[in-house]
């Protein structure tokens, strides 16, 4: 459980760091609120498989955001 918590916190930090790269202030604010709400909504999850699936889904969304930002910069 402790390791899972570390994974979740690490994912949250990485998402927030990626959001900082978003050029438009309004979009940045929206994404920050979205991330906060998603993590808050799922904070009481206890089922191991569900948590693992949410971490995987969060990582995929983070990769998509990073890809989009990379395309926007080029």
């Amino acid at each position: 459980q402790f390791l899972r918590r570390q994974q979740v916190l690490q994912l949250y930090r990485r998402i927030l760091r990626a959001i900082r790269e978003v050029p438009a202030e309004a979009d940045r604010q929206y994404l920050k609120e979205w991330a906060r709400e998603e993590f808050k909504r799922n904070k009481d999850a206890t089922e191991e498989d569900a948590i693992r699936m949410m971490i995987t889904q969060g990582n995929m969304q983070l990769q998509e955001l990073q890809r989009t930002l990379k395309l926007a910069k080029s």
Side-chain angles (χ1 to χ4, degrees):
Q1 243 180 352
F2 177 74
L3 290 175
R4 199 63 72 208
R5 178 177 163 78
Q6 293 303 325
Q7 282 181 307
V8 170
L9 290 174
Q10 184 180 32
L11 174 61
Y12 185 63
R13 283 190 215 103
R14 286 173 41 216
I15 288 172
L16 290 180
R17 279 192 205 108
I19 289 172
R20 280 190 222 144
E21 304 293 317
V22 174
E25 175 64 33
D27 292 340
R28 240 191 338 263
Q29 205 56 42
Y30 169 79
L31 288 170
K32 220 184 283 186
E33 282 298 315
W34 167 81
R36 190 176 292 130
E37 287 304 314
E38 282 295 308
F39 278 84
K40 222 185 260 187
R41 186 165 52 95
N42 294 308
K43 76 175 187 170
D44 295 324
T46 55
E47 194 178 318
E48 200 64 31
D49 289 338
I51 295 171
R52 210 177 1 254
M53 185 188 74
M54 286 185 269
I55 290 172
T56 302
Q57 192 175 21
N59 278 316
M60 289 187 321
Q61 289 172 334
L62 173 60
Q63 288 171 350
E64 185 62 35
L65 175 60
Q66 290 170 332
R67 248 193 315 273
T68 303
L69 288 170
K70 193 183 287 186
L71 283 174
K73 286 180 182 177
S74 61

